[in-house]
Amino acid sequence: MSKSINVTLRVWRQAAPKAKGKFETYKLNDISTDASFLEMLDILNEQLIGEHKEPIAFDHDCREGICGMCSLYINGHPHGPDSEVTTCQMHMRHFHDGQTITIEPWRSAAFPVIKDLMVDRQAFDKIIQAGGFVSINTGGVPDGNAIPIPKAAADEAMDAASCIGCGACVAACKNGSAMLFLSAKVSQLALLPQGKIERAARVKAMLKMHDELGFGNCTNTGACAAECPKNISLANIARLNREYIKAKVKD
């Protein structure tokens, strides 16, 4: 049975990328515990608009945990305190009456703030463009048995492909590393026959772009996997390292 709670919000406000930001405090009353976190922010914005104040800018699209756009840092956790969910899947039942909730954008040099809670995540697109593709014509959808692929490899590739590129791994990492994201994209192609042709060139190009964009190095603390809403495994980072070593040996 749903109930209503009152919450205090400390929200990061920043007018522009180079503007000085600060936390502003807002109070919301009678918020249904069945409301999603983004619905709560919608209610806050309606309240601000009613008071003739600037609404809070935040990113969202599908609100189904698929697109990865709802990238918010909530009380010290990417996507909030619940595990294996995105911000849009977080509900107010996870907070208690009278609680103060601190909401921030991703904090990373590679993800500059656009406005308020929105960040520029084009860096991920650039990593993908650097080598996350296959050049061969794979044609239409083949018969399921046309290309023999071991089930274990297919399952691992599908698990890696479930990465939605939200950036929670970067936000959680003390070094601002995107290795979990990068390794998932390398793994999903390297594990399948269609992706093996360019595997050496791909991993080198994507790692080079990763470093050029200002992401940090991985020190295997595991915070990225712990905060990942899609439960991407650290084993992908080990595979990435092996792929890179093999590529350099070939050179």
PDB file of all heavy atoms in Angstrom, residues 185-223:
ATOM      1  N   LYS A 185      32.190  -3.252 -24.526  1.00  0.00           N
ATOM      2  CA  LYS A 185      32.051  -3.045 -25.967  1.00  0.00           C
ATOM      3  C   LYS A 185      33.073  -3.871 -26.749  1.00  0.00           C
ATOM      4  O   LYS A 185      32.777  -4.366 -27.838  1.00  0.00           O
ATOM      5  CB  LYS A 185      32.198  -1.557 -26.299  1.00  0.00           C
ATOM      6  CG  LYS A 185      31.152  -0.674 -25.649  1.00  0.00           C
ATOM      7  CD  LYS A 185      29.738  -1.169 -25.929  1.00  0.00           C
ATOM      8  CE  LYS A 185      28.684  -0.370 -25.202  1.00  0.00           C
ATOM      9  NZ  LYS A 185      27.323  -0.940 -25.390  1.00  0.00           N
ATOM     10  N   VAL A 186      34.273  -4.011 -26.208  1.00  0.00           N
ATOM     11  CA  VAL A 186      35.279  -4.857 -26.853  1.00  0.00           C
ATOM     12  C   VAL A 186      34.861  -6.322 -26.775  1.00  0.00           C
ATOM     13  O   VAL A 186      34.949  -7.065 -27.754  1.00  0.00           O
ATOM     14  CB  VAL A 186      36.667  -4.639 -26.201  1.00  0.00           C
ATOM     15  CG1 VAL A 186      37.641  -5.732 -26.623  1.00  0.00           C
ATOM     16  CG2 VAL A 186      37.226  -3.274 -26.579  1.00  0.00           C
ATOM     17  N   SER A 187      34.369  -6.732 -25.602  1.00  0.00           N
ATOM     18  CA  SER A 187      34.012  -8.136 -25.395  1.00  0.00           C
ATOM     19  C   SER A 187      32.871  -8.584 -26.289  1.00  0.00           C
ATOM     20  O   SER A 187      32.906  -9.687 -26.853  1.00  0.00           O
ATOM     21  CB  SER A 187      33.630  -8.372 -23.928  1.00  0.00           C
ATOM     22  OG  SER A 187      34.747  -8.238 -23.078  1.00  0.00           O
ATOM     23  N   GLN A 188      31.843  -7.763 -26.421  1.00  0.00           N
ATOM     24  CA  GLN A 188      30.671  -8.210 -27.172  1.00  0.00           C
ATOM     25  C   GLN A 188      30.997  -8.503 -28.627  1.00  0.00           C
ATOM     26  O   GLN A 188      30.330  -9.305 -29.267  1.00  0.00           O
ATOM     27  CB  GLN A 188      29.554  -7.160 -27.086  1.00  0.00           C
ATOM     28  CG  GLN A 188      29.802  -5.888 -27.889  1.00  0.00           C
ATOM     29  CD  GLN A 188      28.693  -4.867 -27.714  1.00  0.00           C
ATOM     30  OE1 GLN A 188      28.469  -4.359 -26.620  1.00  0.00           O
ATOM     31  NE2 GLN A 188      27.992  -4.573 -28.793  1.00  0.00           N
ATOM     32  N   LEU A 189      32.052  -7.864 -29.151  1.00  0.00           N
ATOM     33  CA  LEU A 189      32.471  -8.116 -30.526  1.00  0.00           C
ATOM     34  C   LEU A 189      33.563  -9.176 -30.606  1.00  0.00           C
ATOM     35  O   LEU A 189      33.564 -10.006 -31.505  1.00  0.00           O
ATOM     36  CB  LEU A 189      32.950  -6.815 -31.175  1.00  0.00           C
ATOM     37  CG  LEU A 189      31.856  -5.752 -31.379  1.00  0.00           C
ATOM     38  CD1 LEU A 189      32.461  -4.442 -31.836  1.00  0.00           C
ATOM     39  CD2 LEU A 189      30.808  -6.221 -32.376  1.00  0.00           C
ATOM     40  N   ALA A 190      34.490  -9.159 -29.669  1.00  0.00           N
ATOM     41  CA  ALA A 190      35.615 -10.101 -29.713  1.00  0.00           C
ATOM     42  C   ALA A 190      35.171 -11.542 -29.480  1.00  0.00           C
ATOM     43  O   ALA A 190      35.838 -12.483 -29.936  1.00  0.00           O
ATOM     44  CB  ALA A 190      36.661  -9.719 -28.674  1.00  0.00           C
ATOM     45  N   LEU A 191      34.051 -11.724 -28.796  1.00  0.00           N
ATOM     46  CA  LEU A 191      33.581 -13.074 -28.490  1.00  0.00           C
ATOM     47  C   LEU A 191      32.855 -13.733 -29.656  1.00  0.00           C
ATOM     48  O   LEU A 191      32.677 -14.956 -29.662  1.00  0.00           O
ATOM     49  CB  LEU A 191      32.635 -13.028 -27.281  1.00  0.00           C
ATOM     50  CG  LEU A 191      33.313 -12.852 -25.916  1.00  0.00           C
ATOM     51  CD1 LEU A 191      32.291 -12.408 -24.872  1.00  0.00           C
ATOM     52  CD2 LEU A 191      33.981 -14.153 -25.473  1.00  0.00           C
ATOM     53  N   LEU A 192      32.451 -12.947 -30.639  1.00  0.00           N
ATOM     54  CA  LEU A 192      31.668 -13.475 -31.755  1.00  0.00           C
ATOM     55  C   LEU A 192      32.498 -13.540 -33.032  1.00  0.00           C
ATOM     56  O   LEU A 192      33.387 -12.713 -33.247  1.00  0.00           O
ATOM     57  CB  LEU A 192      30.436 -12.600 -31.987  1.00  0.00           C
ATOM     58  CG  LEU A 192      29.466 -12.494 -30.805  1.00  0.00           C
ATOM     59  CD1 LEU A 192      28.321 -11.557 -31.144  1.00  0.00           C
ATOM     60  CD2 LEU A 192      28.931 -13.872 -30.412  1.00  0.00           C
ATOM     61  N   PRO A 193      32.225 -14.494 -33.912  1.00  0.00           N
ATOM     62  CA  PRO A 193      33.005 -14.630 -35.155  1.00  0.00           C
ATOM     63  C   PRO A 193      33.020 -13.362 -36.001  1.00  0.00           C
ATOM     64  O   PRO A 193      34.043 -13.009 -36.584  1.00  0.00           O
ATOM     65  CB  PRO A 193      32.284 -15.770 -35.899  1.00  0.00           C
ATOM     66  CG  PRO A 193      31.579 -16.538 -34.842  1.00  0.00           C
ATOM     67  CD  PRO A 193      31.185 -15.546 -33.794  1.00  0.00           C
ATOM     68  N   GLN A 194      31.882 -12.659 -36.052  1.00  0.00           N
ATOM     69  CA  GLN A 194      31.810 -11.458 -36.893  1.00  0.00           C
ATOM     70  C   GLN A 194      32.757 -10.354 -36.426  1.00  0.00           C
ATOM     71  O   GLN A 194      33.135  -9.489 -37.210  1.00  0.00           O
ATOM     72  CB  GLN A 194      30.372 -10.905 -36.897  1.00  0.00           C
ATOM     73  CG  GLN A 194      29.351 -11.853 -37.498  1.00  0.00           C
ATOM     74  CD  GLN A 194      28.692 -12.728 -36.445  1.00  0.00           C
ATOM     75  OE1 GLN A 194      29.298 -13.042 -35.417  1.00  0.00           O
ATOM     76  NE2 GLN A 194      27.455 -13.139 -36.708  1.00  0.00           N
ATOM     77  N   GLY A 195      33.123 -10.381 -35.160  1.00  0.00           N
ATOM     78  CA  GLY A 195      33.958  -9.313 -34.628  1.00  0.00           C
ATOM     79  C   GLY A 195      35.426  -9.635 -34.531  1.00  0.00           C
ATOM     80  O   GLY A 195      36.226  -8.794 -34.110  1.00  0.00           O
ATOM     81  N   LYS A 196      35.800 -10.850 -34.909  1.00  0.00           N
ATOM     82  CA  LYS A 196      37.183 -11.276 -34.698  1.00  0.00           C
ATOM     83  C   LYS A 196      38.153 -10.707 -35.732  1.00  0.00           C
ATOM     84  O   LYS A 196      39.358 -10.653 -35.498  1.00  0.00           O
ATOM     85  CB  LYS A 196      37.268 -12.801 -34.682  1.00  0.00           C
ATOM     86  CG  LYS A 196      36.588 -13.438 -33.468  1.00  0.00           C
ATOM     87  CD  LYS A 196      36.819 -14.927 -33.405  1.00  0.00           C
ATOM     88  CE  LYS A 196      36.065 -15.561 -32.235  1.00  0.00           C
ATOM     89  NZ  LYS A 196      36.505 -15.045 -30.934  1.00  0.00           N
ATOM     90  N   ILE A 197      37.643 -10.294 -36.894  1.00  0.00           N
ATOM     91  CA  ILE A 197      38.533  -9.827 -37.963  1.00  0.00           C
ATOM     92  C   ILE A 197      39.321  -8.596 -37.522  1.00  0.00           C
ATOM     93  O   ILE A 197      40.538  -8.515 -37.712  1.00  0.00           O
ATOM     94  CB  ILE A 197      37.726  -9.524 -39.243  1.00  0.00           C
ATOM     95  CG1 ILE A 197      37.067 -10.809 -39.753  1.00  0.00           C
ATOM     96  CG2 ILE A 197      38.622  -8.925 -40.318  1.00  0.00           C
ATOM     97  CD1 ILE A 197      36.110 -10.578 -40.908  1.00  0.00           C
ATOM     98  N   GLU A 198      38.639  -7.633 -36.918  1.00  0.00           N
ATOM     99  CA  GLU A 198      39.312  -6.389 -36.519  1.00  0.00           C
ATOM    100  C   GLU A 198      39.653  -6.332 -35.039  1.00  0.00           C
ATOM    101  O   GLU A 198      39.931  -5.250 -34.507  1.00  0.00           O
ATOM    102  CB  GLU A 198      38.430  -5.178 -36.842  1.00  0.00           C
ATOM    103  CG  GLU A 198      38.213  -4.946 -38.306  1.00  0.00           C
ATOM    104  CD  GLU A 198      36.754  -5.132 -38.696  1.00  0.00           C
ATOM    105  OE1 GLU A 198      36.004  -5.809 -37.966  1.00  0.00           O
ATOM    106  OE2 GLU A 198      36.379  -4.617 -39.739  1.00  0.00           O
ATOM    107  N   ARG A 199      39.625  -7.456 -34.343  1.00  0.00           N
ATOM    108  CA  ARG A 199      39.741  -7.423 -32.891  1.00  0.00           C
ATOM    109  C   ARG A 199      41.014  -6.726 -32.418  1.00  0.00           C
ATOM    110  O   ARG A 199      40.974  -5.952 -31.450  1.00  0.00           O
ATOM    111  CB  ARG A 199      39.651  -8.832 -32.315  1.00  0.00           C
ATOM    112  CG  ARG A 199      40.746  -9.780 -32.767  1.00  0.00           C
ATOM    113  CD  ARG A 199      40.448 -11.232 -32.417  1.00  0.00           C
ATOM    114  NE  ARG A 199      40.271 -11.452 -30.982  1.00  0.00           N
ATOM    115  CZ  ARG A 199      39.970 -12.634 -30.467  1.00  0.00           C
ATOM    116  NH1 ARG A 199      39.774 -13.679 -31.258  1.00  0.00           N
ATOM    117  NH2 ARG A 199      39.843 -12.778 -29.162  1.00  0.00           N
ATOM    118  N   ALA A 200      42.134  -6.936 -33.095  1.00  0.00           N
ATOM    119  CA  ALA A 200      43.397  -6.323 -32.659  1.00  0.00           C
ATOM    120  C   ALA A 200      43.377  -4.817 -32.884  1.00  0.00           C
ATOM    121  O   ALA A 200      43.720  -4.030 -31.992  1.00  0.00           O
ATOM    122  CB  ALA A 200      44.574  -6.956 -33.401  1.00  0.00           C
ATOM    123  N   ALA A 201      42.975  -4.403 -34.088  1.00  0.00           N
ATOM    124  CA  ALA A 201      42.927  -2.970 -34.393  1.00  0.00           C
ATOM    125  C   ALA A 201      41.895  -2.265 -33.516  1.00  0.00           C
ATOM    126  O   ALA A 201      42.102  -1.131 -33.074  1.00  0.00           O
ATOM    127  CB  ALA A 201      42.606  -2.761 -35.872  1.00  0.00           C
ATOM    128  N   ARG A 202      40.785  -2.951 -33.254  1.00  0.00           N
ATOM    129  CA  ARG A 202      39.701  -2.345 -32.482  1.00  0.00           C
ATOM    130  C   ARG A 202      40.133  -2.019 -31.061  1.00  0.00           C
ATOM    131  O   ARG A 202      39.935  -0.903 -30.572  1.00  0.00           O
ATOM    132  CB  ARG A 202      38.494  -3.274 -32.447  1.00  0.00           C
ATOM    133  CG  ARG A 202      37.315  -2.722 -31.648  1.00  0.00           C
ATOM    134  CD  ARG A 202      36.189  -3.726 -31.517  1.00  0.00           C
ATOM    135  NE  ARG A 202      35.707  -4.130 -32.823  1.00  0.00           N
ATOM    136  CZ  ARG A 202      35.815  -5.366 -33.298  1.00  0.00           C
ATOM    137  NH1 ARG A 202      36.395  -6.315 -32.575  1.00  0.00           N
ATOM    138  NH2 ARG A 202      35.365  -5.664 -34.493  1.00  0.00           N
ATOM    139  N   VAL A 203      40.707  -3.004 -30.382  1.00  0.00           N
ATOM    140  CA  VAL A 203      41.041  -2.792 -28.977  1.00  0.00           C
ATOM    141  C   VAL A 203      42.110  -1.713 -28.826  1.00  0.00           C
ATOM    142  O   VAL A 203      42.062  -0.901 -27.890  1.00  0.00           O
ATOM    143  CB  VAL A 203      41.480  -4.124 -28.312  1.00  0.00           C
ATOM    144  CG1 VAL A 203      42.817  -4.619 -28.842  1.00  0.00           C
ATOM    145  CG2 VAL A 203      41.537  -3.972 -26.797  1.00  0.00           C
ATOM    146  N   LYS A 204      43.051  -1.648 -29.747  1.00  0.00           N
ATOM    147  CA  LYS A 204      44.076  -0.604 -29.668  1.00  0.00           C
ATOM    148  C   LYS A 204      43.483   0.777 -29.908  1.00  0.00           C
ATOM    149  O   LYS A 204      43.803   1.738 -29.200  1.00  0.00           O
ATOM    150  CB  LYS A 204      45.195  -0.891 -30.683  1.00  0.00           C
ATOM    151  CG  LYS A 204      46.070  -2.080 -30.317  1.00  0.00           C
ATOM    152  CD  LYS A 204      47.251  -2.219 -31.254  1.00  0.00           C
ATOM    153  CE  LYS A 204      46.827  -2.595 -32.659  1.00  0.00           C
ATOM    154  NZ  LYS A 204      47.985  -2.802 -33.558  1.00  0.00           N
ATOM    155  N   ALA A 205      42.610   0.878 -30.909  1.00  0.00           N
ATOM    156  CA  ALA A 205      42.017   2.177 -31.240  1.00  0.00           C
ATOM    157  C   ALA A 205      41.100   2.682 -30.128  1.00  0.00           C
ATOM    158  O   ALA A 205      41.125   3.872 -29.773  1.00  0.00           O
ATOM    159  CB  ALA A 205      41.244   2.067 -32.550  1.00  0.00           C
ATOM    160  N   MET A 206      40.331   1.777 -29.553  1.00  0.00           N
ATOM    161  CA  MET A 206      39.385   2.192 -28.518  1.00  0.00           C
ATOM    162  C   MET A 206      40.096   2.569 -27.223  1.00  0.00           C
ATOM    163  O   MET A 206      39.721   3.534 -26.554  1.00  0.00           O
ATOM    164  CB  MET A 206      38.354   1.089 -28.283  1.00  0.00           C
ATOM    165  CG  MET A 206      37.449   0.855 -29.479  1.00  0.00           C
ATOM    166  SD  MET A 206      36.239  -0.480 -29.258  1.00  0.00           S
ATOM    167  CE  MET A 206      34.992   0.350 -28.287  1.00  0.00           C
ATOM    168  N   LEU A 207      41.144   1.829 -26.884  1.00  0.00           N
ATOM    169  CA  LEU A 207      41.922   2.180 -25.691  1.00  0.00           C
ATOM    170  C   LEU A 207      42.656   3.503 -25.878  1.00  0.00           C
ATOM    171  O   LEU A 207      42.744   4.323 -24.956  1.00  0.00           O
ATOM    172  CB  LEU A 207      42.925   1.064 -25.379  1.00  0.00           C
ATOM    173  CG  LEU A 207      42.477   0.034 -24.351  1.00  0.00           C
ATOM    174  CD1 LEU A 207      43.455  -1.122 -24.291  1.00  0.00           C
ATOM    175  CD2 LEU A 207      42.335   0.675 -22.973  1.00  0.00           C
ATOM    176  N   LYS A 208      43.168   3.727 -27.074  1.00  0.00           N
ATOM    177  CA  LYS A 208      43.857   4.980 -27.368  1.00  0.00           C
ATOM    178  C   LYS A 208      42.898   6.162 -27.210  1.00  0.00           C
ATOM    179  O   LYS A 208      43.240   7.185 -26.600  1.00  0.00           O
ATOM    180  CB  LYS A 208      44.434   4.941 -28.783  1.00  0.00           C
ATOM    181  CG  LYS A 208      45.232   6.174 -29.197  1.00  0.00           C
ATOM    182  CD  LYS A 208      45.881   5.934 -30.557  1.00  0.00           C
ATOM    183  CE  LYS A 208      46.717   7.130 -30.995  1.00  0.00           C
ATOM    184  NZ  LYS A 208      45.887   8.294 -31.351  1.00  0.00           N
ATOM    185  N   MET A 209      41.678   6.024 -27.733  1.00  0.00           N
ATOM    186  CA  MET A 209      40.684   7.083 -27.614  1.00  0.00           C
ATOM    187  C   MET A 209      40.270   7.287 -26.163  1.00  0.00           C
ATOM    188  O   MET A 209      40.098   8.417 -25.699  1.00  0.00           O
ATOM    189  CB  MET A 209      39.467   6.750 -28.478  1.00  0.00           C
ATOM    190  CG  MET A 209      38.369   7.813 -28.452  1.00  0.00           C
ATOM    191  SD  MET A 209      38.931   9.439 -29.022  1.00  0.00           S
ATOM    192  CE  MET A 209      39.215   9.080 -30.769  1.00  0.00           C
ATOM    193  N   HIS A 210      40.127   6.195 -25.430  1.00  0.00           N
ATOM    194  CA  HIS A 210      39.787   6.252 -24.005  1.00  0.00           C
ATOM    195  C   HIS A 210      40.781   7.136 -23.257  1.00  0.00           C
ATOM    196  O   HIS A 210      40.398   8.023 -22.475  1.00  0.00           O
ATOM    197  CB  HIS A 210      39.782   4.831 -23.436  1.00  0.00           C
ATOM    198  CG  HIS A 210      39.644   4.738 -21.943  1.00  0.00           C
ATOM    199  ND1 HIS A 210      40.715   4.914 -21.087  1.00  0.00           N
ATOM    200  CD2 HIS A 210      38.567   4.482 -21.150  1.00  0.00           C
ATOM    201  CE1 HIS A 210      40.311   4.776 -19.835  1.00  0.00           C
ATOM    202  NE2 HIS A 210      39.004   4.504 -19.856  1.00  0.00           N
ATOM    203  N   ASP A 211      42.062   6.930 -23.504  1.00  0.00           N
ATOM    204  CA  ASP A 211      43.093   7.693 -22.805  1.00  0.00           C
ATOM    205  C   ASP A 211      43.139   9.146 -23.275  1.00  0.00           C
ATOM    206  O   ASP A 211      43.329  10.069 -22.473  1.00  0.00           O
ATOM    207  CB  ASP A 211      44.458   7.030 -22.997  1.00  0.00           C
ATOM    208  CG  ASP A 211      44.531   5.656 -22.344  1.00  0.00           C
ATOM    209  OD1 ASP A 211      43.682   5.363 -21.483  1.00  0.00           O
ATOM    210  OD2 ASP A 211      45.435   4.874 -22.707  1.00  0.00           O
ATOM    211  N   GLU A 212      42.948   9.355 -24.569  1.00  0.00           N
ATOM    212  CA  GLU A 212      42.983  10.713 -25.107  1.00  0.00           C
ATOM    213  C   GLU A 212      41.845  11.578 -24.567  1.00  0.00           C
ATOM    214  O   GLU A 212      41.992  12.797 -24.424  1.00  0.00           O
ATOM    215  CB  GLU A 212      42.919  10.678 -26.635  1.00  0.00           C
ATOM    216  CG  GLU A 212      44.190  10.163 -27.303  1.00  0.00           C
ATOM    217  CD  GLU A 212      44.049  10.074 -28.814  1.00  0.00           C
ATOM    218  OE1 GLU A 212      42.928  10.329 -29.319  1.00  0.00           O
ATOM    219  OE2 GLU A 212      45.051   9.746 -29.477  1.00  0.00           O
ATOM    220  N   LEU A 213      40.726  10.959 -24.258  1.00  0.00           N
ATOM    221  CA  LEU A 213      39.566  11.706 -23.780  1.00  0.00           C
ATOM    222  C   LEU A 213      39.653  12.068 -22.303  1.00  0.00           C
ATOM    223  O   LEU A 213      38.781  12.767 -21.782  1.00  0.00           O
ATOM    224  CB  LEU A 213      38.292  10.890 -24.043  1.00  0.00           C
ATOM    225  CG  LEU A 213      37.893  10.745 -25.511  1.00  0.00           C
ATOM    226  CD1 LEU A 213      36.801   9.702 -25.671  1.00  0.00           C
ATOM    227  CD2 LEU A 213      37.440  12.082 -26.084  1.00  0.00           C
ATOM    228  N   GLY A 214      40.684  11.596 -21.620  1.00  0.00           N
ATOM    229  CA  GLY A 214      40.892  11.995 -20.234  1.00  0.00           C
ATOM    230  C   GLY A 214      40.335  11.058 -19.188  1.00  0.00           C
ATOM    231  O   GLY A 214      40.295  11.397 -17.996  1.00  0.00           O
ATOM    232  N   PHE A 215      39.900   9.863 -19.586  1.00  0.00           N
ATOM    233  CA  PHE A 215      39.470   8.879 -18.590  1.00  0.00           C
ATOM    234  C   PHE A 215      40.697   8.347 -17.848  1.00  0.00           C
ATOM    235  O   PHE A 215      41.781   8.242 -18.413  1.00  0.00           O
ATOM    236  CB  PHE A 215      38.727   7.721 -19.263  1.00  0.00           C
ATOM    237  CG  PHE A 215      37.389   8.092 -19.834  1.00  0.00           C
ATOM    238  CD1 PHE A 215      37.211   8.216 -21.199  1.00  0.00           C
ATOM    239  CD2 PHE A 215      36.306   8.319 -18.997  1.00  0.00           C
ATOM    240  CE1 PHE A 215      35.976   8.548 -21.724  1.00  0.00           C
ATOM    241  CE2 PHE A 215      35.058   8.654 -19.511  1.00  0.00           C
ATOM    242  CZ  PHE A 215      34.895   8.781 -20.884  1.00  0.00           C
ATOM    243  N   GLY A 216      40.507   7.969 -16.596  1.00  0.00           N
ATOM    244  CA  GLY A 216      41.618   7.479 -15.795  1.00  0.00           C
ATOM    245  C   GLY A 216      41.912   6.012 -16.030  1.00  0.00           C
ATOM    246  O   GLY A 216      41.231   5.327 -16.797  1.00  0.00           O
ATOM    247  N   ASN A 217      42.930   5.525 -15.333  1.00  0.00           N
ATOM    248  CA  ASN A 217      43.322   4.116 -15.439  1.00  0.00           C
ATOM    249  C   ASN A 217      42.542   3.261 -14.456  1.00  0.00           C
ATOM    250  O   ASN A 217      42.085   3.729 -13.413  1.00  0.00           O
ATOM    251  CB  ASN A 217      44.825   3.967 -15.169  1.00  0.00           C
ATOM    252  CG  ASN A 217      45.669   4.619 -16.238  1.00  0.00           C
ATOM    253  OD1 ASN A 217      45.343   4.545 -17.418  1.00  0.00           O
ATOM    254  ND2 ASN A 217      46.749   5.273 -15.831  1.00  0.00           N
ATOM    255  N   CYS A 218      42.404   1.993 -14.774  1.00  0.00           N
ATOM    256  CA  CYS A 218      41.719   1.042 -13.902  1.00  0.00           C
ATOM    257  C   CYS A 218      42.698   0.506 -12.857  1.00  0.00           C
ATOM    258  O   CYS A 218      43.800   0.075 -13.192  1.00  0.00           O
ATOM    259  CB  CYS A 218      41.161  -0.116 -14.729  1.00  0.00           C
ATOM    260  SG  CYS A 218      40.421  -1.429 -13.740  1.00  0.00           S
ATOM    261  N   THR A 219      42.280   0.537 -11.586  1.00  0.00           N
ATOM    262  CA  THR A 219      43.102  -0.039 -10.521  1.00  0.00           C
ATOM    263  C   THR A 219      42.359  -1.183  -9.818  1.00  0.00           C
ATOM    264  O   THR A 219      42.685  -1.549  -8.686  1.00  0.00           O
ATOM    265  CB  THR A 219      43.522   1.036  -9.497  1.00  0.00           C
ATOM    266  OG1 THR A 219      42.370   1.793  -9.091  1.00  0.00           O
ATOM    267  CG2 THR A 219      44.549   1.986 -10.090  1.00  0.00           C
ATOM    268  N   ASN A 220      41.331  -1.726 -10.486  1.00  0.00           N
ATOM    269  CA  ASN A 220      40.643  -2.934 -10.032  1.00  0.00           C
ATOM    270  C   ASN A 220      40.063  -2.836  -8.620  1.00  0.00           C
ATOM    271  O   ASN A 220      40.122  -3.795  -7.853  1.00  0.00           O
ATOM    272  CB  ASN A 220      41.592  -4.141 -10.118  1.00  0.00           C
ATOM    273  CG  ASN A 220      41.930  -4.501 -11.548  1.00  0.00           C
ATOM    274  OD1 ASN A 220      41.041  -4.635 -12.385  1.00  0.00           O
ATOM    275  ND2 ASN A 220      43.210  -4.643 -11.832  1.00  0.00           N
ATOM    276  N   THR A 221      39.478  -1.700  -8.292  1.00  0.00           N
ATOM    277  CA  THR A 221      38.807  -1.588  -6.991  1.00  0.00           C
ATOM    278  C   THR A 221      37.411  -2.213  -7.039  1.00  0.00           C
ATOM    279  O   THR A 221      36.849  -2.555  -5.999  1.00  0.00           O
ATOM    280  CB  THR A 221      38.682  -0.117  -6.559  1.00  0.00           C
ATOM    281  OG1 THR A 221      37.938   0.607  -7.552  1.00  0.00           O
ATOM    282  CG2 THR A 221      40.049   0.530  -6.384  1.00  0.00           C
ATOM    283  N   GLY A 222      36.841  -2.339  -8.239  1.00  0.00           N
ATOM    284  CA  GLY A 222      35.559  -3.002  -8.398  1.00  0.00           C
ATOM    285  C   GLY A 222      34.336  -2.132  -8.151  1.00  0.00           C
ATOM    286  O   GLY A 222      33.202  -2.628  -8.211  1.00  0.00           O
ATOM    287  N   ALA A 223      34.545  -0.846  -7.878  1.00  0.00           N
ATOM    288  CA  ALA A 223      33.394   0.041  -7.634  1.00  0.00           C
ATOM    289  C   ALA A 223      32.502   0.143  -8.866  1.00  0.00           C
ATOM    290  O   ALA A 223      31.279   0.273  -8.755  1.00  0.00           O
ATOM    291  CB  ALA A 223      33.873   1.425  -7.221  1.00  0.00           C
TER     292      ALA A 223
END
